[in-house]
Amino acid sequence: MNRCQNTGLERKKPFLNPIEAAKVRQEIDAFLDLQIEMWKQTVPYSTHFEGEQVHKLYYQRHMIETAWRIRLMRVAESKAIPEIAKCSPEAAQIWSNYQMEEMLHDEMFIQDLEKSGVSRADLLNTEPYLSTKLLAGFFSYLLDHEGPLGTLAYSYLVEYANVKLEPKKIEAMKKSLGETVIAGQIAHSYTDTNDDHPGEVWNAIRYIIKDEQDIANLKKYLEEFQDILAMYFREIYADIVESAQQQQVAV
Amino acid sequence: MPCIFIKPADELVTLPKNSNLTALTESNSSPISFGCRVGACGACAIEVLEGISNLSVANQSERDFLTSLGYAESCYRLACQCSLKGDITIRTID
């Protein structure tokens, strides 16, 4: 008996062939569309940046957190590479390339932050919200105890939502904040779309899915990540918007 | 869905639009030998007989490498660098 395992060589072909995977992807995308609608109805300020006016402090703090989230997630997502390689070297190759493309994306947001009056020192002196730390912790839990599928699910959720929602948000922010002020975010949006990041992540997911249960698990992960991201939106809303309203009442 | 007709094996494979041609490894005969899958080894060089415009455009790095392999004409591609947009006919290179 050969004791050497977890080499990613057990399956010659993925559970889902390319045509079956395309059908499952349509099902997942429809599932995400429902999640997005629910998100818009239940999460405070979820479409704030699509409006005519932007709350400046909220915008700055959101950009700070976005930079932190990218910085924390790139560490967690890099740790996923060996776990994915144990299941599927094909998926690990796609995922590694995706990580290479994503690795320095925080810079685009930091450049916009500086244009809005927040320095790099301000960013470094601002601690991430608890919800963001919990998100990073959830990644560690998933990799240690449930496998890499959850990590890939998070990226699919983010990339799908970005490609679907960012263009409308970017167009609105060009008017509310000015095109030059959000140049980094425009570049980021171009990258996600032009490099087909949703397609790239889905291709890695296809190689990782090993049975019907994994498809059900994928949906569960998408719901769980939406819950955690909603925690962040409630946290920043309470910290920036509600606290200012309470201070006004007190005065 | 786009079709790929592969010569000389005379095999017809259907893949979803935007699939990378590396998915051909899952067809019954796996007619193309893929190596590194990042466009660096040349193992998956193919000749596109019909439908070259139905593949994603080759970047300069791919063109330079194909030229160094002796395949300077635009009908040659590295299959691992191709996304499928429509029907194509290809010939494998031994």
Side-chain angles (χ1 to χ4, degrees):
Chain A
M1 180 181 166
N2 184 352
R3 291 169 296 169
C4 181
Q5 294 183 31
N6 300 328
T7 57
L9 300 173
E10 291 81 6
R11 283 180 295 142
K12 189 172 181 292
K13 292 180 181 178
F15 173 68
L16 294 172
N17 70 35
I19 294 170
E20 291 164 344
K23 287 180 188 161
V24 172
R25 186 179 175 186
Q26 283 180 342
E27 186 185 321
I28 293 294
D29 289 355
F31 182 76
L32 283 173
D33 288 340
L34 288 175
Q35 277 191 237
I36 288 169
E37 279 310 307
M38 197 187 305
W39 176 271
K40 285 179 178 173
Q41 289 167 22
T42 58
V43 176
Y45 256 36
S46 57
T47 55
H48 174 65
F49 295 123
E50 294 174 12
E52 290 178 3
Q53 287 195 320
V54 167
H55 187 305
K56 189 180 177 187
L57 270 181
Y58 181 89
Y59 170 76
Q60 290 173 325
R61 188 62 189 84
H62 178 66
M63 293 290 285
I64 288 172
E65 200 69 8
T66 302
W68 276 124
R69 191 179 308 107
I70 294 170
R71 288 177 166 201
L72 299 186
M73 292 310 109
R74 69 187 171 202
V75 174
E77 290 176 1
S78 297
K79 288 178 187 170
I81 294 172
E83 299 307 318
I84 297 169
K86 289 175 191 174
C87 307
S88 164
E90 295 90 351
Q93 186 183 50
I94 296 163
W95 183 251
S96 302
N97 183 61
Y98 169 69
Q99 289 306 314
M100 180 197 72
E101 289 168 354
E102 287 283 334
M103 193 58 74
L104 298 178
H105 278 196
D106 57 324
E107 272 302 312
M108 295 187 232
F109 292 91
I110 293 169
Q111 286 163 15
D112 285 359
L113 256 179
E114 288 178 313
K115 286 175 191 162
S116 81
V118 178
S119 68
R120 283 172 190 266
D122 293 332
L123 165 65
L124 288 172
N125 286 327
T126 307
E127 199 165 299
Y129 281 124
L130 177 62
S131 51
T132 303
K133 294 180 185 179
L134 290 173
L135 177 65
F138 189 51
F139 272 79
S140 290
Y141 162 77
L142 289 174
L143 287 174
D144 284 341
H145 303 291
E146 296 190 19
L149 179 60
T151 307
L152 275 65
Y154 172 78
S155 286
Y156 191 70
L157 169 67
V158 171
E159 297 296 349
Y160 181 83
N162 277 354
V163 169
K164 184 131 192 164
L165 303 176
E166 281 293 292
K168 186 178 178 187
K169 180 179 145 191
I170 294 280
E171 284 310 307
M173 287 166 65
K174 280 180 186 173
K175 291 174 187 156
S176 59
L177 294 170
E179 193 163 344
T180 54
V181 180
I182 61 161
Q185 290 162 89
I186 294 170
H188 181 254
S189 182
Y190 284 155
T191 308
D192 283 347
T193 305
N194 293 337
D195 275 344
D196 186 22
H197 278 180
E200 208 171 337
V201 176
W202 180 259
N203 208 11
I205 287 175
R206 180 172 86 84
Y207 282 107
I208 286 289
I209 287 176
K210 64 182 183 309
D211 51 28
E212 289 290 341
Q213 184 58 51
D214 271 350
I215 298 170
N217 291 344
L218 175 59
K219 289 180 182 171
K220 186 74 179 159
Y221 287 131
L222 294 171
E223 285 178 332
E224 288 170 342
F225 279 119
Q226 175 155 336
D227 286 345
I228 297 176
L229 290 171
M231 283 181 210
Y232 156 65
F233 276 88
R234 293 194 180 96
E235 196 172 6
I236 186 175
Y237 184 80
D239 183 37
I240 305 294
V241 182
E242 281 184 341
S243 67
Q245 288 168 349
Q246 284 162 4
Q247 279 170 8
Q248 280 180 344
V249 171
V251 170
Chain B
M1 280 189 195
C3 294
I4 307 163
F5 189 65
I6 306 160
K7 292 185 173 182
D10 286 345
E11 184 177 352
L12 186 66
V13 179
T14 303
L15 288 176
K17 196 175 177 187
N18 294 323
S19 291
N20 188 288
L21 293 191
T22 51
L24 288 171
T25 55
E26 295 162 43
S27 71
N28 289 334
S29 60
S30 300
I32 300 175
S33 299
F34 287 93
C36 70
R37 301 190 185 203
V38 291
C41 74
C44 62
I46 54 170
E47 183 182 4
V48 183
L49 303 174
E50 290 175 38
I52 188 88
S53 62
N54 286 330
L55 292 174
S56 55
V57 178
N59 63 24
Q60 195 56 48
S61 170
E62 182 187 344
R63 287 260 66 91
D64 290 347
F65 184 43
L66 281 164
T67 301
S68 74
L69 294 174
Y71 304 126
E73 295 91 339
S74 61
C75 60
Y76 292 102
R77 294 295 308 269
L78 296 171
C80 72
Q81 300 299 293
C82 296
S83 292
L84 191 62
K85 311 293 178 190
D87 296 346
I88 56 168
T89 300
I90 61 174
R91 186 174 66 83
T92 54
I93 297 171
D94 293 328

